[in-house]
Amino acid sequence: VCSSDLLAAPAVAQSTHSVEGRVVDLTGAPVAGARVELVVAGQTRSVGTDSAGRFRFDSVPAGAYKVTASHVALAPATA
């Protein structure tokens, strides 16, 4: 699910069409300030994580999507 130094917690599309999750490092510590990208229906959206490593995308259409997390000090991870 992840590569190298960064873990992207599996994200879930809920009935409200939100995708949310948490980015942590290999020790389980939250990664604040990570960039999280969501690719769905050919469009890319991005948000930053908060101090607890949390992120959220609202108004996500149903379907398959890809979430990638990155941070300048860590290797990227995709879930």
Short mmCIF file of all heavy atoms in Angstrom, two decimals:
data_model
loop_
_atom_site.label_atom_id
_atom_site.label_comp_id
_atom_site.label_asym_id
_atom_site.label_seq_id
_atom_site.Cartn_x
_atom_site.Cartn_y
_atom_site.Cartn_z
N VAL A 1 0.83 -1.19 0.00
CA VAL A 1 0.00 0.00 0.00
C VAL A 1 0.86 1.24 0.00
O VAL A 1 0.44 2.29 -0.41
CB VAL A 1 -0.95 -0.01 1.21
CG1 VAL A 1 -1.68 1.29 1.35
CG2 VAL A 1 -1.92 -1.14 1.13
N CYS A 2 2.08 1.16 0.49
CA CYS A 2 2.87 2.37 0.60
C CYS A 2 4.30 2.09 0.17
O CYS A 2 4.71 0.96 -0.01
CB CYS A 2 2.85 2.88 2.03
SG CYS A 2 3.66 1.73 3.14
N SER A 3 5.05 3.14 0.02
CA SER A 3 6.44 3.00 -0.31
C SER A 3 7.28 3.79 0.65
O SER A 3 6.85 4.80 1.20
CB SER A 3 6.69 3.48 -1.75
OG SER A 3 6.48 4.87 -1.83
N SER A 4 8.44 3.30 0.91
CA SER A 4 9.49 3.98 1.65
C SER A 4 9.04 4.57 2.97
O SER A 4 8.62 3.86 3.85
CB SER A 4 10.12 5.03 0.74
OG SER A 4 11.38 5.36 1.23
N ASP A 5 9.11 5.89 3.13
CA ASP A 5 8.94 6.54 4.42
C ASP A 5 7.53 6.99 4.76
O ASP A 5 7.29 7.40 5.88
CB ASP A 5 9.84 7.77 4.48
CG ASP A 5 11.29 7.42 4.36
OD1 ASP A 5 11.76 6.56 5.12
OD2 ASP A 5 11.95 8.00 3.49
N LEU A 6 6.62 6.98 3.83
CA LEU A 6 5.32 7.61 4.03
C LEU A 6 4.21 6.59 3.86
O LEU A 6 4.23 5.79 2.95
CB LEU A 6 5.16 8.73 3.00
CG LEU A 6 4.07 9.75 3.19
CD1 LEU A 6 4.30 10.55 4.46
CD2 LEU A 6 4.05 10.67 2.00
N LEU A 7 3.24 6.60 4.77
CA LEU A 7 2.09 5.71 4.67
C LEU A 7 0.84 6.54 4.41
O LEU A 7 0.59 7.51 5.11
CB LEU A 7 1.89 4.93 5.97
CG LEU A 7 3.01 4.00 6.38
CD1 LEU A 7 2.69 3.37 7.73
CD2 LEU A 7 3.24 2.92 5.36
N ALA A 8 0.07 6.16 3.44
CA ALA A 8 -1.20 6.82 3.18
C ALA A 8 -2.28 5.86 3.64
O ALA A 8 -2.44 4.78 3.09
CB ALA A 8 -1.36 7.14 1.70
N ALA A 9 -3.01 6.22 4.67
CA ALA A 9 -4.07 5.35 5.18
C ALA A 9 -5.12 5.19 4.11
O ALA A 9 -5.44 6.13 3.39
CB ALA A 9 -4.68 5.97 6.43
N PRO A 10 -5.65 3.98 3.95
CA PRO A 10 -6.67 3.78 2.92
C PRO A 10 -7.82 4.78 3.07
O PRO A 10 -8.30 5.02 4.16
CB PRO A 10 -7.16 2.36 3.17
CG PRO A 10 -6.03 1.69 3.87
CD PRO A 10 -5.38 2.77 4.68
N ALA A 11 -8.20 5.36 1.98
CA ALA A 11 -9.27 6.35 1.98
C ALA A 11 -10.57 5.67 1.57
O ALA A 11 -10.57 4.71 0.82
CB ALA A 11 -8.93 7.48 1.01
N VAL A 12 -11.66 6.18 2.05
CA VAL A 12 -12.96 5.56 1.80
C VAL A 12 -13.93 6.61 1.24
O VAL A 12 -14.08 7.67 1.81
CB VAL A 12 -13.53 4.98 3.11
CG1 VAL A 12 -14.90 4.38 2.87
CG2 VAL A 12 -12.59 3.95 3.70
N ALA A 13 -14.56 6.28 0.11
CA ALA A 13 -15.61 7.14 -0.42
C ALA A 13 -16.90 6.78 0.32
O ALA A 13 -17.37 5.65 0.25
CB ALA A 13 -15.78 6.95 -1.92
N GLN A 14 -17.44 7.70 1.07
CA GLN A 14 -18.64 7.45 1.85
C GLN A 14 -19.87 7.85 1.06
O GLN A 14 -19.78 8.42 0.00
CB GLN A 14 -18.57 8.24 3.16
CG GLN A 14 -17.34 7.91 3.97
CD GLN A 14 -17.17 8.83 5.15
OE1 GLN A 14 -17.78 9.88 5.22
NE2 GLN A 14 -16.32 8.45 6.07
N SER A 15 -21.07 7.55 1.61
CA SER A 15 -22.29 7.89 0.91
C SER A 15 -22.44 9.39 0.70
O SER A 15 -23.18 9.82 -0.17
CB SER A 15 -23.50 7.34 1.68
OG SER A 15 -23.56 7.92 2.96
N THR A 16 -21.73 10.18 1.47
CA THR A 16 -21.75 11.63 1.30
C THR A 16 -20.78 12.08 0.21
O THR A 16 -20.63 13.25 -0.04
CB THR A 16 -21.39 12.34 2.62
OG1 THR A 16 -20.08 11.93 3.01
CG2 THR A 16 -22.38 12.03 3.72
N HIS A 17 -20.12 11.10 -0.42
CA HIS A 17 -19.16 11.38 -1.48
C HIS A 17 -17.97 12.19 -0.99
O HIS A 17 -17.51 13.11 -1.64
CB HIS A 17 -19.82 12.05 -2.68
CG HIS A 17 -20.93 11.24 -3.25
ND1 HIS A 17 -20.72 10.11 -3.99
CD2 HIS A 17 -22.27 11.37 -3.15
CE1 HIS A 17 -21.88 9.59 -4.34
NE2 HIS A 17 -22.83 10.33 -3.84
N SER A 18 -17.48 11.81 0.19
CA SER A 18 -16.25 12.39 0.73
C SER A 18 -15.18 11.32 0.74
O SER A 18 -15.48 10.14 0.87
CB SER A 18 -16.47 12.89 2.16
OG SER A 18 -17.40 13.94 2.19
N VAL A 19 -13.94 11.74 0.57
CA VAL A 19 -12.79 10.85 0.72
C VAL A 19 -11.94 11.47 1.81
O VAL A 19 -11.56 12.63 1.73
CB VAL A 19 -11.99 10.72 -0.59
CG1 VAL A 19 -10.72 9.91 -0.37
CG2 VAL A 19 -12.84 10.10 -1.68
N GLU A 20 -11.67 10.68 2.86
CA GLU A 20 -10.88 11.20 3.96
C GLU A 20 -9.93 10.14 4.45
O GLU A 20 -10.14 8.95 4.21
CB GLU A 20 -11.77 11.71 5.08
CG GLU A 20 -12.73 10.69 5.61
CD GLU A 20 -13.73 11.29 6.58
OE1 GLU A 20 -13.53 12.42 7.07
OE2 GLU A 20 -14.73 10.62 6.85
N GLY A 21 -8.88 10.56 5.11
CA GLY A 21 -7.90 9.61 5.61
C GLY A 21 -6.87 10.31 6.46
O GLY A 21 -7.03 11.48 6.85
N ARG A 22 -5.81 9.60 6.72
CA ARG A 22 -4.75 10.11 7.58
C ARG A 22 -3.42 9.68 7.01
O ARG A 22 -3.25 8.53 6.59
CB ARG A 22 -4.94 9.55 8.98
CG ARG A 22 -4.06 10.13 10.02
CD ARG A 22 -4.53 9.73 11.41
NE ARG A 22 -3.62 10.27 12.39
CZ ARG A 22 -2.92 9.53 13.22
NH1 ARG A 22 -3.05 8.22 13.23
NH2 ARG A 22 -2.10 10.10 14.07
N VAL A 23 -2.45 10.57 6.99
CA VAL A 23 -1.11 10.26 6.51
C VAL A 23 -0.20 10.14 7.74
O VAL A 23 -0.16 11.04 8.57
CB VAL A 23 -0.57 11.36 5.56
CG1 VAL A 23 0.84 11.04 5.11
CG2 VAL A 23 -1.50 11.52 4.35
N VAL A 24 0.49 8.99 7.82
CA VAL A 24 1.41 8.74 8.93
C VAL A 24 2.74 8.25 8.36
O VAL A 24 2.81 7.75 7.25
CB VAL A 24 0.84 7.70 9.92
CG1 VAL A 24 -0.45 8.20 10.56
CG2 VAL A 24 0.61 6.36 9.25
N ASP A 25 3.81 8.38 9.16
CA ASP A 25 5.10 7.83 8.74
C ASP A 25 5.18 6.37 9.16
O ASP A 25 4.23 5.80 9.70
CB ASP A 25 6.26 8.68 9.25
CG ASP A 25 6.42 8.65 10.76
OD1 ASP A 25 5.85 7.76 11.43
OD2 ASP A 25 7.13 9.53 11.29
N LEU A 26 6.32 5.73 8.92
CA LEU A 26 6.46 4.30 9.21
C LEU A 26 6.35 3.97 10.69
O LEU A 26 6.08 2.83 11.06
CB LEU A 26 7.79 3.78 8.66
CG LEU A 26 7.86 3.75 7.13
CD1 LEU A 26 9.24 3.32 6.67
CD2 LEU A 26 6.80 2.84 6.55
N THR A 27 6.53 4.95 11.56
CA THR A 27 6.39 4.73 13.01
C THR A 27 4.96 4.94 13.46
O THR A 27 4.65 4.73 14.63
CB THR A 27 7.32 5.64 13.81
OG1 THR A 27 6.88 7.00 13.68
CG2 THR A 27 8.77 5.52 13.36
N GLY A 28 4.09 5.41 12.57
CA GLY A 28 2.70 5.69 12.92
C GLY A 28 2.46 7.13 13.35
O GLY A 28 1.34 7.50 13.68
N ALA A 29 3.51 7.95 13.33
CA ALA A 29 3.36 9.36 13.70
C ALA A 29 2.68 10.13 12.57
O ALA A 29 2.97 9.89 11.39
CB ALA A 29 4.73 9.98 13.99
N PRO A 30 1.78 11.05 12.89
CA PRO A 30 1.11 11.83 11.84
C PRO A 30 2.09 12.71 11.08
O PRO A 30 3.07 13.18 11.64
CB PRO A 30 0.10 12.68 12.62
CG PRO A 30 0.59 12.71 14.01
CD PRO A 30 1.37 11.46 14.23
N VAL A 31 1.80 12.90 9.80
CA VAL A 31 2.63 13.76 8.95
C VAL A 31 1.83 15.02 8.65
O VAL A 31 0.92 15.02 7.82
CB VAL A 31 3.05 13.04 7.65
CG1 VAL A 31 3.87 13.98 6.77
CG2 VAL A 31 3.82 11.77 7.97
N ALA A 32 2.15 16.09 9.35
CA ALA A 32 1.50 17.39 9.12
C ALA A 32 2.12 18.04 7.89
O ALA A 32 3.32 17.88 7.63
CB ALA A 32 1.68 18.28 10.34
N GLY A 33 1.31 18.75 7.13
CA GLY A 33 1.81 19.49 5.98
C GLY A 33 2.12 18.64 4.76
O GLY A 33 2.76 19.11 3.83
N ALA A 34 1.65 17.39 4.74
CA ALA A 34 1.82 16.56 3.54
C ALA A 34 0.84 17.03 2.47
O ALA A 34 -0.23 17.55 2.77
CB ALA A 34 1.56 15.09 3.87
N ARG A 35 1.21 16.84 1.23
CA ARG A 35 0.32 17.16 0.11
C ARG A 35 -0.36 15.87 -0.31
O ARG A 35 0.31 14.86 -0.57
CB ARG A 35 1.12 17.74 -1.05
CG ARG A 35 0.30 18.02 -2.28
CD ARG A 35 1.21 18.47 -3.43
NE ARG A 35 0.51 18.47 -4.67
CZ ARG A 35 0.09 19.56 -5.30
NH1 ARG A 35 0.34 20.74 -4.76
NH2 ARG A 35 -0.53 19.48 -6.43
N VAL A 36 -1.68 15.89 -0.36
CA VAL A 36 -2.45 14.71 -0.74
C VAL A 36 -3.19 15.04 -2.04
O VAL A 36 -3.89 16.04 -2.12
CB VAL A 36 -3.45 14.30 0.36
CG1 VAL A 36 -4.22 13.06 -0.05
CG2 VAL A 36 -2.73 14.08 1.68
N GLU A 37 -2.98 14.20 -3.05
CA GLU A 37 -3.65 14.39 -4.34
C GLU A 37 -4.66 13.28 -4.56
O GLU A 37 -4.38 12.11 -4.28
CB GLU A 37 -2.64 14.39 -5.48
CG GLU A 37 -1.77 15.62 -5.51
CD GLU A 37 -0.90 15.68 -6.76
OE1 GLU A 37 -0.72 14.65 -7.44
OE2 GLU A 37 -0.41 16.77 -7.05
N LEU A 38 -5.81 13.66 -5.08
CA LEU A 38 -6.88 12.73 -5.42
C LEU A 38 -7.09 12.83 -6.93
O LEU A 38 -7.32 13.93 -7.45
CB LEU A 38 -8.17 13.10 -4.69
CG LEU A 38 -9.41 12.34 -5.10
CD1 LEU A 38 -9.41 10.96 -4.46
CD2 LEU A 38 -10.66 13.10 -4.68
N VAL A 39 -7.00 11.71 -7.62
CA VAL A 39 -7.26 11.67 -9.05
C VAL A 39 -8.51 10.84 -9.26
O VAL A 39 -8.56 9.67 -8.90
CB VAL A 39 -6.08 11.06 -9.84
CG1 VAL A 39 -6.41 11.02 -11.33
CG2 VAL A 39 -4.80 11.83 -9.59
N VAL A 40 -9.55 11.48 -9.80
CA VAL A 40 -10.81 10.81 -10.07
C VAL A 40 -11.42 11.41 -11.33
O VAL A 40 -11.37 12.62 -11.52
CB VAL A 40 -11.77 10.90 -8.86
CG1 VAL A 40 -12.12 12.33 -8.55
CG2 VAL A 40 -13.03 10.08 -9.08
N ALA A 41 -11.93 10.56 -12.19
CA ALA A 41 -12.58 11.00 -13.44
C ALA A 41 -11.68 11.93 -14.25
O ALA A 41 -12.14 12.91 -14.82
CB ALA A 41 -13.92 11.65 -13.14
N GLY A 42 -10.37 11.64 -14.26
CA GLY A 42 -9.44 12.43 -15.06
C GLY A 42 -9.07 13.79 -14.48
O GLY A 42 -8.37 14.56 -15.11
N GLN A 43 -9.54 14.09 -13.29
CA GLN A 43 -9.23 15.38 -12.67
C GLN A 43 -8.43 15.16 -11.39
O GLN A 43 -8.66 14.19 -10.67
CB GLN A 43 -10.50 16.15 -12.35
CG GLN A 43 -11.27 16.54 -13.59
CD GLN A 43 -12.45 17.44 -13.26
OE1 GLN A 43 -12.86 17.55 -12.11
NE2 GLN A 43 -13.00 18.08 -14.26
N THR A 44 -7.49 16.07 -11.12
CA THR A 44 -6.66 16.00 -9.93
C THR A 44 -7.01 17.13 -8.99
O THR A 44 -7.12 18.29 -9.40
CB THR A 44 -5.17 16.09 -10.29
OG1 THR A 44 -4.85 15.02 -11.18
CG2 THR A 44 -4.29 16.00 -9.06
N ARG A 45 -7.22 16.79 -7.71
CA ARG A 45 -7.45 17.78 -6.66
C ARG A 45 -6.42 17.55 -5.58
O ARG A 45 -5.94 16.42 -5.40
CB ARG A 45 -8.86 17.60 -6.08
CG ARG A 45 -9.94 17.87 -7.11
CD ARG A 45 -11.30 17.37 -6.71
NE ARG A 45 -11.72 17.79 -5.39
CZ ARG A 45 -12.84 17.36 -4.79
NH1 ARG A 45 -13.61 16.50 -5.40
NH2 ARG A 45 -13.17 17.80 -3.61
N SER A 46 -6.05 18.59 -4.85
CA SER A 46 -5.07 18.41 -3.79
C SER A 46 -5.44 19.22 -2.55
O SER A 46 -6.11 20.24 -2.64
CB SER A 46 -3.67 18.79 -4.26
OG SER A 46 -3.60 20.16 -4.57
N VAL A 47 -5.03 18.68 -1.40
CA VAL A 47 -5.20 19.34 -0.11
C VAL A 47 -3.97 19.04 0.72
O VAL A 47 -3.18 18.16 0.40
CB VAL A 47 -6.46 18.83 0.65
CG1 VAL A 47 -7.74 19.16 -0.09
CG2 VAL A 47 -6.37 17.35 0.96
N GLY A 48 -3.81 19.80 1.81
CA GLY A 48 -2.74 19.54 2.76
C GLY A 48 -3.28 18.85 3.99
O GLY A 48 -4.48 18.95 4.30
N THR A 49 -2.42 18.12 4.70
CA THR A 49 -2.84 17.48 5.94
C THR A 49 -2.75 18.46 7.10
O THR A 49 -1.95 19.38 7.10
CB THR A 49 -1.98 16.24 6.25
OG1 THR A 49 -0.61 16.63 6.34
CG2 THR A 49 -2.15 15.17 5.19
N ASP A 50 -3.59 18.21 8.12
CA ASP A 50 -3.55 19.04 9.32
C ASP A 50 -2.49 18.50 10.29
O ASP A 50 -1.73 17.60 9.95
CB ASP A 50 -4.94 19.13 9.97
CG ASP A 50 -5.46 17.80 10.49
OD1 ASP A 50 -4.68 16.82 10.60
OD2 ASP A 50 -6.67 17.74 10.80
N SER A 51 -2.46 19.02 11.50
CA SER A 51 -1.43 18.63 12.47
C SER A 51 -1.54 17.17 12.90
O SER A 51 -0.57 16.59 13.38
CB SER A 51 -1.49 19.55 13.70
OG SER A 51 -2.76 19.41 14.33
N ALA A 52 -2.70 16.55 12.69
CA ALA A 52 -2.89 15.13 13.02
C ALA A 52 -2.73 14.24 11.79
O ALA A 52 -3.01 13.05 11.83
CB ALA A 52 -4.27 14.92 13.64
N GLY A 53 -2.30 14.83 10.65
CA GLY A 53 -2.11 14.07 9.42
C GLY A 53 -3.40 13.80 8.66
O GLY A 53 -3.39 13.06 7.68
N ARG A 54 -4.49 14.41 9.07
CA ARG A 54 -5.79 14.15 8.43
C ARG A 54 -5.99 14.98 7.17
O ARG A 54 -5.50 16.11 7.08
CB ARG A 54 -6.92 14.45 9.41
CG ARG A 54 -6.98 13.52 10.59
CD ARG A 54 -8.14 13.89 11.49
NE ARG A 54 -8.01 15.28 11.94
CZ ARG A 54 -7.89 15.65 13.21
NH1 ARG A 54 -7.92 14.77 14.18
NH2 ARG A 54 -7.77 16.92 13.52
N PHE A 55 -6.75 14.39 6.23
CA PHE A 55 -7.14 15.11 5.02
C PHE A 55 -8.57 14.73 4.67
O PHE A 55 -9.09 13.71 5.13
CB PHE A 55 -6.20 14.79 3.85
CG PHE A 55 -6.26 13.35 3.40
CD1 PHE A 55 -7.17 12.94 2.44
CD2 PHE A 55 -5.41 12.41 3.95
CE1 PHE A 55 -7.22 11.62 2.02
CE2 PHE A 55 -5.44 11.08 3.55
CZ PHE A 55 -6.36 10.69 2.58
N ARG A 56 -9.21 15.57 3.84
CA ARG A 56 -10.58 15.31 3.42
C ARG A 56 -10.85 15.99 2.08
O ARG A 56 -10.49 17.14 1.87
CB ARG A 56 -11.56 15.84 4.46
CG ARG A 56 -13.02 15.60 4.11
CD ARG A 56 -13.94 16.18 5.17
NE ARG A 56 -15.32 16.06 4.79
CZ ARG A 56 -16.18 15.21 5.33
NH1 ARG A 56 -15.79 14.41 6.30
NH2 ARG A 56 -17.41 15.16 4.92
N PHE A 57 -11.49 15.25 1.20
CA PHE A 57 -11.98 15.77 -0.07
C PHE A 57 -13.50 15.62 -0.05
O PHE A 57 -14.01 14.53 0.19
CB PHE A 57 -11.43 14.98 -1.26
CG PHE A 57 -9.94 15.09 -1.45
CD1 PHE A 57 -9.09 14.15 -0.89
CD2 PHE A 57 -9.41 16.12 -2.20
CE1 PHE A 57 -7.73 14.24 -1.07
CE2 PHE A 57 -8.04 16.22 -2.39
CZ PHE A 57 -7.19 15.28 -1.82
N ASP A 58 -14.22 16.69 -0.32
CA ASP A 58 -15.68 16.65 -0.39
C ASP A 58 -16.12 16.65 -1.85
O ASP A 58 -15.36 17.01 -2.74
CB ASP A 58 -16.28 17.86 0.34
CG ASP A 58 -16.08 17.78 1.84
OD1 ASP A 58 -16.29 16.69 2.42
OD2 ASP A 58 -15.69 18.80 2.44
N SER A 59 -17.37 16.27 -2.07
CA SER A 59 -17.99 16.27 -3.40
C SER A 59 -17.21 15.44 -4.41
O SER A 59 -16.95 15.87 -5.54
CB SER A 59 -18.15 17.71 -3.91
OG SER A 59 -18.92 18.47 -3.00
N VAL A 60 -16.85 14.23 -4.02
CA VAL A 60 -16.13 13.32 -4.90
C VAL A 60 -17.15 12.43 -5.61
O VAL A 60 -17.98 11.79 -4.97
CB VAL A 60 -15.15 12.44 -4.09
CG1 VAL A 60 -14.45 11.44 -4.99
CG2 VAL A 60 -14.14 13.32 -3.36
N PRO A 61 -17.10 12.38 -6.96
CA PRO A 61 -18.04 11.52 -7.67
C PRO A 61 -17.74 10.05 -7.41
O PRO A 61 -16.60 9.68 -7.11
CB PRO A 61 -17.81 11.88 -9.14
CG PRO A 61 -16.44 12.45 -9.19
CD PRO A 61 -16.20 13.09 -7.86
N ALA A 62 -18.76 9.21 -7.50
CA ALA A 62 -18.58 7.77 -7.32
C ALA A 62 -17.67 7.22 -8.40
O ALA A 62 -17.63 7.74 -9.51
CB ALA A 62 -19.93 7.08 -7.36
N GLY A 63 -16.92 6.19 -8.07
CA GLY A 63 -16.04 5.56 -9.04
C GLY A 63 -14.67 5.28 -8.46
O GLY A 63 -14.43 5.50 -7.27
N ALA A 64 -13.79 4.80 -9.31
CA ALA A 64 -12.43 4.49 -8.88
C ALA A 64 -11.62 5.78 -8.77
O ALA A 64 -11.84 6.74 -9.51
CB ALA A 64 -11.78 3.55 -9.89
N TYR A 65 -10.69 5.79 -7.84
CA TYR A 65 -9.84 6.95 -7.66
C TYR A 65 -8.49 6.52 -7.11
O TYR A 65 -8.31 5.41 -6.63
CB TYR A 65 -10.48 7.99 -6.74
CG TYR A 65 -10.89 7.43 -5.39
CD1 TYR A 65 -10.00 7.44 -4.32
CD2 TYR A 65 -12.15 6.90 -5.19
CE1 TYR A 65 -10.36 6.92 -3.10
CE2 TYR A 65 -12.51 6.37 -3.97
CZ TYR A 65 -11.62 6.38 -2.92
OH TYR A 65 -11.97 5.86 -1.72
N LYS A 66 -7.52 7.43 -7.18
CA LYS A 66 -6.18 7.18 -6.68
C LYS A 66 -5.82 8.32 -5.74
O LYS A 66 -6.07 9.49 -6.04
CB LYS A 66 -5.19 7.12 -7.85
CG LYS A 66 -3.76 6.90 -7.45
CD LYS A 66 -2.91 6.70 -8.69
CE LYS A 66 -1.80 7.69 -8.73
NZ LYS A 66 -0.91 7.52 -9.88
N VAL A 67 -5.24 7.98 -4.60
CA VAL A 67 -4.80 8.99 -3.62
C VAL A 67 -3.30 8.85 -3.45
O VAL A 67 -2.80 7.75 -3.21
CB VAL A 67 -5.50 8.79 -2.26
CG1 VAL A 67 -4.98 9.79 -1.23
CG2 VAL A 67 -7.01 8.89 -2.41
N THR A 68 -2.58 9.95 -3.58
CA THR A 68 -1.13 9.97 -3.40
C THR A 68 -0.78 11.01 -2.36
O THR A 68 -1.27 12.14 -2.41
CB THR A 68 -0.41 10.30 -4.72
OG1 THR A 68 -0.78 9.34 -5.70
CG2 THR A 68 1.10 10.28 -4.55
N ALA A 69 0.09 10.62 -1.41
CA ALA A 69 0.55 11.54 -0.38
C ALA A 69 2.04 11.78 -0.57
O ALA A 69 2.79 10.85 -0.89
CB ALA A 69 0.28 10.97 1.00
N SER A 70 2.46 13.03 -0.38
CA SER A 70 3.89 13.33 -0.49
C SER A 70 4.25 14.42 0.52
O SER A 70 3.40 15.19 0.96
CB SER A 70 4.25 13.77 -1.91
OG SER A 70 3.53 14.94 -2.27
N HIS A 71 5.53 14.43 0.88
CA HIS A 71 6.06 15.42 1.82
C HIS A 71 7.51 15.64 1.42
O HIS A 71 8.19 14.68 1.03
CB HIS A 71 5.94 14.91 3.25
CG HIS A 71 6.26 15.94 4.28
ND1 HIS A 71 7.54 16.21 4.66
CD2 HIS A 71 5.45 16.75 5.00
CE1 HIS A 71 7.52 17.16 5.59
NE2 HIS A 71 6.26 17.51 5.80
N VAL A 72 8.00 16.85 1.53
CA VAL A 72 9.36 17.16 1.07
C VAL A 72 10.42 16.30 1.74
O VAL A 72 11.44 16.00 1.13
CB VAL A 72 9.70 18.66 1.24
CG1 VAL A 72 8.82 19.52 0.35
CG2 VAL A 72 9.58 19.08 2.68
N ALA A 73 10.19 15.85 2.98
CA ALA A 73 11.19 15.09 3.70
C ALA A 73 11.01 13.57 3.58
O ALA A 73 11.81 12.82 4.11
CB ALA A 73 11.17 15.48 5.17
N LEU A 74 9.97 13.12 2.88
CA LEU A 74 9.65 11.69 2.82
C LEU A 74 9.35 11.25 1.40
O LEU A 74 8.94 12.05 0.56
CB LEU A 74 8.45 11.39 3.72
CG LEU A 74 8.59 11.79 5.19
CD1 LEU A 74 7.25 11.72 5.88
CD2 LEU A 74 9.61 10.93 5.89
N ALA A 75 9.50 9.96 1.14
CA ALA A 75 9.17 9.40 -0.18
C ALA A 75 7.65 9.34 -0.35
O ALA A 75 6.93 9.12 0.62
CB ALA A 75 9.77 8.01 -0.32
N PRO A 76 7.14 9.54 -1.57
CA PRO A 76 5.68 9.49 -1.79
C PRO A 76 5.10 8.10 -1.57
O PRO A 76 5.79 7.10 -1.66
CB PRO A 76 5.54 9.90 -3.25
CG PRO A 76 6.86 10.25 -3.76
CD PRO A 76 7.88 9.83 -2.77
N ALA A 77 3.78 8.07 -1.30
CA ALA A 77 3.06 6.81 -1.15
C ALA A 77 1.71 6.95 -1.84
O ALA A 77 1.13 8.02 -1.87
CB ALA A 77 2.86 6.48 0.32
N THR A 78 1.22 5.82 -2.38
CA THR A 78 -0.06 5.82 -3.07
C THR A 78 -0.95 4.75 -2.47
O THR A 78 -0.48 3.66 -2.15
CB THR A 78 0.13 5.55 -4.57
OG1 THR A 78 0.95 6.58 -5.12
CG2 THR A 78 -1.21 5.53 -5.30
N ALA A 79 -2.24 5.08 -2.30
CA ALA A 79 -3.22 4.10 -1.81
C ALA A 79 -4.39 4.04 -2.75
O ALA A 79 -4.67 4.96 -3.46
CB ALA A 79 -3.71 4.49 -0.42
#
